[in-house]
Amino acid sequence: MRLPVTPYGSARAAFRRRLPVHRGAVLLAGVAALRAGAGVLQLAAAESTAAALSIQVPEALVVGLPETGDGAVAGRPGDPLDGLVADADVVAVGPGLTDIDATGELLRGVLDVAPKQTALVLGALSHAPDLLVDSGRPVVLTPNLTEATHLLGRDPGDDLDAEAAELARRYDAVVSLYGHIAAPDGRCWREESGDAGLGTSGSGHVRAGLLAGLLSRGAEPAQAACWAAFAHAVSGQRLAPRFGRIGFLARELLDEIPHTLATV
């Protein structure tokens, strides 16, 4: 599979998060996107966390959004989020989100302003599963098993290839479910080199950002999902000799991404 590359300066990726205690989620996803080649990173965060996030990720434009009393972004923030989304090549929504009502409202706001050609990486669609029906958008869903349960309306079975394929057909989107990747047209792939260490906290946020970064470089959704799953797994393999199969941290995956992509 060949990865097309566009000039990095033309690529933009926008990310969003929710609670102060989950600031690390958007940090991991954002830095992963940069490590994968996204040229311009924009982060939109709850206002109380934006200053700290801008210090931790000085390469990004960080915008604070109005928030509720418990730290969630308040409904549809409007400007400046609308402006970021309208100008982005890729929008990733999901890292750190937990408030179901706020998430659904946020997703609707993003879809209202995102151009049809803007690629979306969604890990939070389970909070609003009807949003993609007949949307005709380039979308990659990255559910965990809990989110897959909501999307399927039942507990996933043991055959994750089949479950990913069903989700892809139902939501007309590429689905990346723990290395099991499916496209709406019936094509399926499986990444089998991942190991137990990838279950570490925050690892999924790294994979979502990696996927968004590849999309921003011009990869098609299925291609980006396959490459992200592979690079995520191989980056973990590269850390195992130093930290053991389950001893590395999600943030340590970030520094392995560029070398992994450069050597495949």
Side-chain angles (χ1 to χ4, degrees), residues 112-136:
D112 282 346
V113 299
K116 282 286 188 179
Q117 71 273 16
T118 299
L120 304 176
V121 178
L122 302 179
L125 186 65
S126 61
H127 303 313
D130 60 322
L131 286 182
L132 293 183
V133 176
D134 298 324
S135 71

Side-chain angles (χ1 to χ4, degrees), residues 25-214:
V26 72
L27 185 153
L28 290 170
V31 174
L34 288 174
R35 291 295 194 190
V40 178
L41 178 68
Q42 302 170 129
L43 304 175
E47 194 167 21
S48 61
T49 71
L53 191 59
S54 67
I55 294 171
Q56 291 175 299
V57 192
E59 299 86 356
L61 168 65
V62 181
V63 174
L65 302 175
E67 61 186 89
T68 64
D70 65 357
V73 170
R76 298 193 185 196
D79 288 334
L81 182 61
D82 286 357
L84 296 185
V85 170
D87 290 338
D89 297 320
V90 182
V91 179
V93 183
L97 291 169
T98 58
D99 187 303
I100 293 176
D101 293 335
T103 298
E105 192 70 9
L106 176 69
L107 283 171
R108 288 180 174 83
V110 167
L111 290 174
D112 282 346
V113 299
K116 282 286 188 179
Q117 71 273 16
T118 299
L120 304 176
V121 178
L122 302 179
L125 186 65
S126 61
H127 303 313
D130 60 322
L131 286 182
L132 293 183
V133 176
D134 298 324
S135 71
R137 294 177 176 276
V139 178
V140 182
L141 303 181
T142 60
N144 57 33
L145 288 178
T146 299
E147 291 163 341
T149 296
H150 288 290
L151 292 171
L152 290 165
R154 56 174 173 77
D155 290 335
D158 293 334
D159 187 351
L160 293 185
D161 285 330
E163 303 295 33
E166 180 175 339
L167 290 173
R169 289 191 301 270
R170 184 180 299 188
Y171 296 100
D172 193 26
V174 171
V175 173
S176 181
L177 179 63
Y178 292 103
H180 302 264
I181 298 156
D185 60 9
R187 292 176 297 159
C188 294
W189 303 265
R190 185 189 301 174
E191 166 50 55
E192 296 183 326
S193 56
D195 206 347
L198 294 180
T200 188
S201 178
S203 175
H205 303 317
V206 172
R207 182 167 57 91
L210 173 54
L211 203 164
L214 293 172

